[in-house]
Protein backbone atom coordinates (compact mmCIF):
# COMPACT_ATOMS: atom_id res chain seq x y z
CA UNK A 1 0.00 0.00 0.00
CA UNK A 2 0.99 3.64 -0.33
CA UNK A 3 1.82 5.44 2.90
CA UNK A 4 2.83 9.03 3.65
CA UNK A 5 5.98 9.26 5.75
CA UNK A 6 7.60 12.12 7.57
CA UNK A 7 11.00 10.66 6.75
CA UNK A 8 13.01 13.37 8.46
CA UNK A 9 12.44 16.93 9.62
CA UNK A 10 10.74 18.85 6.77
CA UNK A 11 10.85 15.78 4.51
CA UNK A 12 7.60 14.09 3.44
CA UNK A 13 7.66 11.14 1.05
CA UNK A 14 5.30 8.43 -0.17
CA UNK A 15 6.50 4.85 0.32
CA UNK A 16 5.27 1.37 -0.51
CA UNK A 17 4.73 -0.72 2.63
CA UNK A 18 2.89 -3.93 3.43
CA UNK A 19 -0.78 -3.71 4.34
CA UNK A 20 -0.80 -4.18 8.11
CA UNK A 21 -2.22 -7.37 9.60
CA UNK A 22 -5.05 -7.10 12.10
CA UNK A 23 -5.41 -8.85 15.43
CA UNK A 24 -8.60 -10.51 16.66
CA UNK A 25 -10.01 -7.31 18.14
CA UNK A 26 -9.08 -4.96 15.29
CA UNK A 27 -10.55 -3.82 12.00
CA UNK A 28 -8.82 -2.85 8.77
CA UNK A 29 -10.04 0.43 7.31
CA UNK A 30 -9.62 1.53 3.72
CA UNK A 31 -8.78 5.18 4.20
CA UNK A 32 -10.85 7.63 2.17
CA UNK A 33 -9.68 10.90 3.72
CA UNK A 34 -7.00 11.87 6.24
CA UNK A 35 -6.34 15.28 7.73
CA UNK A 36 -3.13 17.16 8.45
CA UNK A 37 -3.19 18.22 12.10
CA UNK A 38 -1.16 20.86 13.88
CA UNK A 39 0.50 18.13 15.93
CA UNK A 40 1.53 16.47 12.64
CA UNK A 41 3.34 19.70 11.82
CA UNK A 42 5.26 19.39 15.10
CA UNK A 43 6.40 15.94 13.89
CA UNK A 44 7.17 17.44 10.47
CA UNK A 45 9.48 19.93 12.19
CA UNK A 46 11.05 17.24 14.39
CA UNK A 47 9.61 18.85 17.54
CA UNK A 48 6.91 16.39 18.62
CA UNK A 49 7.64 14.97 22.10
CA UNK A 50 6.91 11.33 21.22
CA UNK A 51 6.11 10.97 17.50
CA UNK A 52 9.51 11.06 15.80
CA UNK A 53 10.57 10.66 12.13
CA UNK A 54 10.73 8.42 10.24
CA UNK A 55 7.06 7.65 10.79
CA UNK A 56 3.85 7.08 8.87
CA UNK A 57 2.08 10.27 9.83
CA UNK A 58 -1.57 11.06 10.50
CA UNK A 59 -4.35 10.33 12.98
CA UNK A 60 -7.40 12.14 11.56
CA UNK A 61 -9.22 9.59 9.42
CA UNK A 62 -12.47 8.53 7.80
CA UNK A 63 -12.91 5.41 5.73
CA UNK A 64 -14.58 2.07 5.15
CA UNK A 65 -14.07 -1.21 7.00
CA UNK A 66 -12.75 -3.90 4.64
CA UNK A 67 -11.61 -6.58 7.11
CA UNK A 68 -12.75 -7.60 10.59
CA UNK A 69 -10.93 -9.49 13.33
CA UNK A 70 -12.57 -12.66 14.62
CA UNK A 71 -13.37 -11.13 18.03
CA UNK A 72 -14.97 -7.95 16.63
CA UNK A 73 -18.74 -7.81 17.23
CA UNK A 74 -19.89 -4.21 16.64
CA UNK A 75 -18.95 -3.67 12.99
CA UNK A 76 -19.54 -5.15 9.57
CA UNK A 77 -17.74 -5.00 6.25
CA UNK A 78 -18.61 -1.79 4.47
CA UNK A 79 -19.30 0.25 7.60
CA UNK A 80 -18.28 3.89 7.18
CA UNK A 81 -16.24 4.91 10.20
CA UNK A 82 -13.93 7.32 11.93
CA UNK A 83 -11.46 6.57 14.72
CA UNK A 84 -10.61 7.99 18.12
CA UNK A 85 -6.86 7.56 17.68
CA UNK A 86 -5.80 6.56 21.15
CA UNK A 87 -5.90 3.27 22.99
CA UNK A 88 -5.31 2.63 26.67
CA UNK A 89 -4.27 -0.47 28.59
CA UNK A 90 -7.91 -1.07 29.58
CA UNK A 91 -7.12 -2.04 33.16
CA UNK A 92 -5.69 1.00 34.95
CA UNK A 93 -7.74 3.37 37.10
CA UNK A 94 -7.90 5.95 34.31
CA UNK A 95 -9.07 3.55 31.61
CA UNK A 96 -11.70 2.07 33.92
CA UNK A 97 -13.11 5.55 34.64
CA UNK A 98 -13.26 6.64 31.00
CA UNK A 99 -10.06 8.70 30.98
CA UNK A 100 -8.02 6.82 28.40
CA UNK A 101 -6.21 10.09 27.66
CA UNK A 102 -4.60 9.80 31.13
CA UNK A 103 -3.37 6.20 30.68
CA UNK A 104 0.40 5.96 31.08
CA UNK A 105 0.41 3.17 28.48
CA UNK A 106 -1.74 5.10 26.02
CA UNK A 107 -1.00 4.17 22.42
CA UNK A 108 -1.51 6.37 19.38
CA UNK A 109 -0.94 6.11 15.62
CA UNK A 110 2.66 6.68 14.63
CA UNK A 111 3.98 5.26 17.88
CA UNK A 112 5.50 1.79 18.10
CA UNK A 113 3.78 -0.78 15.89
CA UNK A 114 0.63 1.28 15.26
CA UNK A 115 0.97 2.76 11.79
CA UNK A 116 -0.19 6.32 11.22
CA UNK A 117 -3.46 6.95 9.40
CA UNK A 118 -2.16 8.69 6.28
CA UNK A 119 -2.01 5.50 4.24
CA UNK A 120 -4.27 3.46 2.00
CA UNK A 121 -5.13 1.15 4.89
CA UNK A 122 -5.23 1.68 8.65
CA UNK A 123 -5.80 -0.72 11.54
CA UNK A 124 -7.67 0.23 14.69
CA UNK A 125 -8.88 -1.59 17.82
CA UNK A 126 -12.64 -2.07 17.84
CA UNK A 127 -13.12 0.13 20.92
CA UNK A 128 -11.61 3.13 19.11
CA UNK A 129 -13.85 2.93 16.03
CA UNK A 130 -17.10 4.87 15.53
CA UNK A 131 -19.71 4.51 12.79
CA UNK A 132 -20.54 7.60 10.81
CA UNK A 133 -24.21 8.54 10.50
CA UNK A 134 -25.66 7.77 7.08
CA UNK A 135 -25.96 11.47 6.23
CA UNK A 136 -22.38 12.34 7.26
CA UNK A 137 -19.78 12.43 4.50
CA UNK A 138 -16.14 11.41 4.85
CA UNK A 139 -14.91 15.01 5.05
CA UNK A 140 -17.18 15.63 8.02
CA UNK A 141 -16.03 12.31 9.45
CA UNK A 142 -12.37 13.30 9.34
CA UNK A 143 -13.21 16.45 11.36
CA UNK A 144 -14.59 14.38 14.25
CA UNK A 145 -11.17 13.89 15.87
CA UNK A 146 -10.05 17.54 15.87
CA UNK A 147 -13.54 18.67 16.86
CA UNK A 148 -13.42 16.25 19.81
CA UNK A 149 -10.35 18.20 20.98
CA UNK A 150 -12.49 21.33 21.03
CA UNK A 151 -15.39 19.59 22.75
CA UNK A 152 -13.04 18.32 25.45
CA UNK A 153 -11.51 21.78 25.96
CA UNK A 154 -14.97 23.34 26.31
CA UNK A 155 -15.87 20.77 28.95
CA UNK A 156 -12.63 21.40 30.82
CA UNK A 157 -13.40 25.12 30.70
CA UNK A 158 -16.97 24.50 31.90
CA UNK A 159 -18.34 26.85 29.26
CA UNK A 160 -22.07 27.41 29.56
CA UNK A 161 -24.97 29.51 28.38
CA UNK A 162 -24.18 33.23 28.22
CA UNK A 163 -20.42 32.95 28.72
CA UNK A 164 -18.01 35.42 27.18
CA UNK A 165 -15.25 33.34 25.60
CA UNK A 166 -11.96 34.33 23.98
CA UNK A 167 -10.26 31.86 21.64
CA UNK A 168 -6.60 32.69 21.06
CA UNK A 169 -5.52 31.27 17.72
CA UNK A 170 -7.68 30.72 14.62
CA UNK A 171 -6.07 27.59 13.26
CA UNK A 172 -8.30 24.55 12.77
CA UNK A 173 -8.22 23.55 16.45
CA UNK A 174 -9.02 27.09 17.60
CA UNK A 175 -11.88 27.38 15.11
CA UNK A 176 -13.32 24.01 16.10
CA UNK A 177 -12.98 24.85 19.81
CA UNK A 178 -14.89 28.06 19.10
CA UNK A 179 -17.63 26.04 17.37
CA UNK A 180 -17.82 23.76 20.41
CA UNK A 181 -18.06 26.78 22.72
CA UNK A 182 -20.90 28.17 20.62
CA UNK A 183 -22.70 24.82 20.78
CA UNK A 184 -22.29 24.87 24.59
CA UNK A 185 -24.14 28.20 24.78
CA UNK A 186 -21.45 30.87 24.75
CA UNK A 187 -22.97 34.08 23.39
CA UNK A 188 -19.86 36.24 23.03
CA UNK A 189 -17.07 34.62 21.02
CA UNK A 190 -13.90 36.63 20.44
CA UNK A 191 -11.25 35.02 18.21
CA UNK A 192 -7.73 36.43 17.85
CA UNK A 193 -5.05 35.65 15.28
CA UNK A 194 -2.44 37.32 13.07
CA UNK A 195 -3.98 36.17 9.78
CA UNK A 196 -7.03 38.00 8.43
CA UNK A 197 -8.13 35.03 6.31
CA UNK A 198 -8.30 32.83 9.42
CA UNK A 199 -10.37 35.47 11.21
CA UNK A 200 -12.71 35.61 8.20
CA UNK A 201 -13.25 31.87 8.63
CA UNK A 202 -13.92 32.43 12.34
CA UNK A 203 -16.77 34.79 11.43
CA UNK A 204 -18.17 32.22 9.01
CA UNK A 205 -18.11 29.68 11.84
CA UNK A 206 -19.94 31.92 14.30
CA UNK A 207 -17.47 34.29 15.98
CA UNK A 208 -19.16 37.46 17.23
CA UNK A 209 -15.89 39.41 17.35
CA UNK A 210 -12.42 39.01 15.84
CA UNK A 211 -9.14 40.84 16.39
CA UNK A 212 -5.90 40.76 14.41
CA UNK A 213 -3.26 41.16 17.11
CA UNK A 214 -0.27 41.61 14.81
CA UNK A 215 1.97 44.43 16.12
CA UNK A 216 -0.48 45.20 18.94
CA UNK A 217 1.31 44.60 22.27
CA UNK A 218 -1.71 45.87 24.24
CA UNK A 219 -4.30 43.96 22.23
CA UNK A 220 -5.87 42.57 25.43
CA UNK A 221 -7.25 46.03 26.28
CA UNK A 222 -8.74 46.34 22.81
CA UNK A 223 -10.27 42.85 23.01
CA UNK A 224 -12.00 43.66 26.30
CA UNK A 225 -13.25 46.96 24.95
CA UNK A 226 -14.78 45.25 21.93
CA UNK A 227 -16.92 42.95 24.10
CA UNK A 228 -17.61 45.41 26.91
CA UNK A 229 -15.61 43.79 29.69
CA UNK A 230 -13.52 40.82 30.76
CA UNK A 231 -13.97 37.24 29.62
CA UNK A 232 -15.38 34.33 31.61
CA UNK A 233 -13.26 31.75 29.80
CA UNK A 234 -10.19 31.75 27.54
CA UNK A 235 -9.20 28.87 25.24
CA UNK A 236 -5.53 28.96 24.25
CA UNK A 237 -4.98 27.47 20.80
CA UNK A 238 -1.62 29.11 20.04
CA UNK A 239 1.45 28.05 22.00
CA UNK A 240 3.39 31.31 21.75
CA UNK A 241 5.53 32.98 24.43
CA UNK A 242 3.67 35.25 26.83
CA UNK A 243 0.23 33.89 26.06
CA UNK A 244 -0.46 32.77 29.66
CA UNK A 245 0.00 36.30 31.03
CA UNK A 246 -2.06 37.67 28.14
CA UNK A 247 -4.86 35.25 28.93
CA UNK A 248 -4.80 36.21 32.60
CA UNK A 249 -5.20 39.83 31.55
CA UNK A 250 -8.34 38.91 29.60
CA UNK A 251 -10.03 36.94 32.39
CA UNK A 252 -12.47 38.23 34.97
CA UNK A 253 -11.93 37.41 38.63
CA UNK A 254 -12.51 33.68 39.07
CA UNK A 255 -12.25 33.10 35.32
CA UNK A 256 -10.70 30.01 33.76
CA UNK A 257 -8.31 29.42 30.87
CA UNK A 258 -7.67 26.10 29.17
CA UNK A 259 -4.43 25.33 27.33
CA UNK A 260 -5.10 23.37 24.13
CA UNK A 261 -2.01 24.27 22.09
CA UNK A 262 1.15 22.19 22.09
CA UNK A 263 3.85 24.24 23.81
CA UNK A 264 7.61 24.01 23.40
CA UNK A 265 9.91 25.28 26.09
CA UNK A 266 8.91 27.06 29.29
CA UNK A 267 6.00 29.45 29.74
CA UNK A 268 6.43 32.06 32.46
CA UNK A 269 3.75 34.26 34.00
CA UNK A 270 3.12 36.57 36.93
CA UNK A 271 1.70 34.36 39.70
CA UNK A 272 0.00 37.38 41.32
CA UNK A 273 -2.23 37.76 38.25
CA UNK A 274 -3.43 34.22 38.91
CA UNK A 275 -3.59 34.01 42.69
CA UNK A 276 -4.90 37.38 43.80
CA UNK A 277 -8.01 37.11 41.64
CA UNK A 278 -8.50 33.34 41.95
CA UNK A 279 -8.15 32.74 38.24
CA UNK A 280 -7.53 29.21 36.96
CA UNK A 281 -5.23 27.55 34.43
CA UNK A 282 -6.41 24.12 33.30
CA UNK A 283 -4.49 21.70 31.10
CA UNK A 284 -6.16 19.80 28.27
CA UNK A 285 -5.02 16.52 26.70
CA UNK A 286 -6.83 15.05 23.68
CA UNK A 287 -10.35 13.82 24.54
CA UNK A 288 -12.46 10.98 25.90
CA UNK A 289 -14.94 8.61 24.29
CA UNK A 290 -17.73 10.88 25.52
CA UNK A 291 -16.16 13.81 23.67
CA UNK A 292 -15.91 11.81 20.44
CA UNK A 293 -19.56 10.76 20.63
CA UNK A 294 -20.56 14.39 21.25
CA UNK A 295 -18.40 15.55 18.34
CA UNK A 296 -20.18 13.16 15.97
CA UNK A 297 -23.60 14.26 17.23
CA UNK A 298 -22.76 17.96 16.99
CA UNK A 299 -21.30 17.73 13.49
CA UNK A 300 -24.41 15.81 12.46
CA UNK A 301 -26.52 18.62 13.91
CA UNK A 302 -24.68 21.26 11.87
CA UNK A 303 -22.44 22.72 14.59
CA UNK A 304 -19.43 22.85 12.24
CA UNK A 305 -19.31 24.76 8.95
CA UNK A 306 -16.81 22.49 7.25
CA UNK A 307 -16.60 24.67 4.15
CA UNK A 308 -15.24 27.51 6.30
CA UNK A 309 -12.41 25.40 7.69
CA UNK A 310 -11.47 22.93 4.90
CA UNK A 311 -9.35 24.93 2.48
CA UNK A 312 -7.45 22.30 0.49
CA UNK A 313 -8.16 18.80 -0.79
CA UNK A 314 -5.04 17.06 -2.09
CA UNK A 315 -4.17 13.56 -3.24
CA UNK A 316 -1.70 11.53 -1.19
CA UNK A 317 0.91 12.17 -3.88
CA UNK A 318 0.61 15.86 -2.97
CA UNK A 319 1.08 15.31 0.77
CA UNK A 320 4.44 17.11 0.89
CA UNK A 321 2.76 20.18 -0.60
CA UNK A 322 0.02 19.92 2.03
CA UNK A 323 2.51 19.91 4.89
CA UNK A 324 4.30 22.92 3.45
CA UNK A 325 1.01 24.79 3.04
CA UNK A 326 0.05 24.21 6.67
CA UNK A 327 3.51 24.90 8.08
CA UNK A 328 4.03 28.12 6.14
CA UNK A 329 0.34 29.17 6.19
CA UNK A 330 0.50 29.51 2.43
CA UNK A 331 -2.46 29.99 0.10
CA UNK A 332 -4.77 30.87 3.03
CA UNK A 333 -4.54 27.30 4.30
CA UNK A 334 -6.45 26.01 7.32
CA UNK A 335 -7.53 22.36 7.33
CA UNK A 336 -5.79 20.45 4.55
CA UNK A 337 -7.17 17.03 3.65
CA UNK A 338 -5.34 14.19 1.89
CA UNK A 339 -7.43 11.72 -0.11
CA UNK A 340 -6.73 8.11 -1.06
CA UNK A 341 -9.49 7.66 -3.61
Amino acid sequence: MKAVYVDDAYTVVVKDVDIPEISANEVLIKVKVAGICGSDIHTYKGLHPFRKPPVIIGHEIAGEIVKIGEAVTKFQLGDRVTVEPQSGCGTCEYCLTGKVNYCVHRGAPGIGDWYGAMAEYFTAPEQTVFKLPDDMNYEQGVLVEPFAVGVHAVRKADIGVGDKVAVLGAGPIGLLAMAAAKAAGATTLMVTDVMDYALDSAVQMGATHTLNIMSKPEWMTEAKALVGGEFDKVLIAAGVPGIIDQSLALLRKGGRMVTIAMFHGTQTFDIHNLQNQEKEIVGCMTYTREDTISAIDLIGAGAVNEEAIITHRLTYEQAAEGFRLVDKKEDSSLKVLVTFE
Side-chain angles (χ1 to χ4, degrees), residues 137-319:
N137 62 45
Y138 286 123
E139 290 190 352
Q140 292 171 312
V142 85
L143 291 179
V144 168
E145 191 275 344
F147 189 43
V149 174
V151 171
H152 187 65
V154 165
R155 285 191 168 136
K156 296 293 285 185
D158 194 27
I159 291 171
V161 175
D163 274 348
K164 288 184 179 180
V165 178
V167 180
L168 311 187
I173 291 297
L175 293 174
L176 290 167
M178 186 212 68
K182 181 180 179 182
T187 50
T188 299
L189 291 158
M190 162 69 75
V191 179
T192 68
D193 203 89
V194 297
M195 297 289 186
D196 284 334
Y197 76 84
L199 296 175
D200 290 342
S201 288
V203 172
Q204 294 177 51
M205 294 187 69
T208 59
H209 302 77
T210 62
L211 180 62
N212 190 318
I213 64 173
M214 177 69 78
S215 302
K216 294 182 178 180
E218 299 303 319
W219 62 266
M220 297 82 72
T221 300
E222 184 176 349
K224 289 184 286 187
L226 285 171
V227 303
E230 296 167 321
F231 292 87
D232 302 296
K233 311 289 167 56
V234 175
L235 303 178
I236 300 175
V240 296
I243 202 163
I244 301 298
D245 260 335
Q246 292 166 342
S247 298
L248 289 169
L250 293 173
L251 280 172
R252 63 165 173 80
K253 293 180 180 180
R256 177 181 294 183
M257 75 176 76
V258 172
T259 60
I260 312 171
M262 183 175 289
F263 291 86
H264 298 288
T266 300
Q267 280 278 334
T268 59
F269 63 93
D270 185 345
I271 190 67
H272 296 293
N273 291 335
L274 178 77
Q275 187 171 10
N276 294 351
Q277 299 184 24
E278 292 195 342
K279 298 175 182 180
E280 300 177 4
I281 303 174
V282 177
C284 181
M285 173 65 176
T286 64
Y287 30 67
T288 66
R289 183 178 183 85
E290 180 183 5
D291 299 319
T292 301
I293 292 170
S294 293
I296 293 171
D297 290 343
L298 288 168
I299 290 174
V304 174
N305 178 359
E306 62 268 20
E307 290 304 318
I309 192 170
I310 298 171
T311 57
H312 295 76
R313 299 163 173 88
L314 306 176
T315 66
Y316 68 86
E317 294 99 334
Q318 299 170 300

Side-chain angles (χ1 to χ4, degrees), residues 61-88:
I61 173 187
E64 177 186 343
I65 292 179
V66 294
K67 190 174 182 180
I68 296 174
E70 59 189 22
V72 172
T73 60
K74 297 179 181 178
F75 298 98
Q76 298 178 353
L77 295 177
D79 280 347
R80 300 165 58 257
V81 297
T82 188
V83 175
E84 179 187 311
Q86 59 181 0
S87 180

Side-chain angles (χ1 to χ4, degrees), residues 4 31-35 118-120 139 312-319 336-341:
V4 177
V31 178
K32 300 293 186 177
V33 185
M118 205 169 289
E120 289 186 279
E139 290 190 352
H312 295 76
R313 299 163 173 88
L314 306 176
T315 66
Y316 68 86
E317 294 99 334
Q318 299 170 300
V336 176
L337 302 184
V338 175
T339 67
F340 287 85
E341 293 284 56

Side-chain angles (χ1 to χ4, degrees), residues 33-52:
V33 185
I36 299 177
C37 175
S39 65
D40 294 331
I41 298 301
H42 289 281
T43 303
Y44 173 66
K45 294 179 175 181
L47 298 175
H48 199 284
F50 52 82
R51 192 177 283 115
K52 301 292 187 182

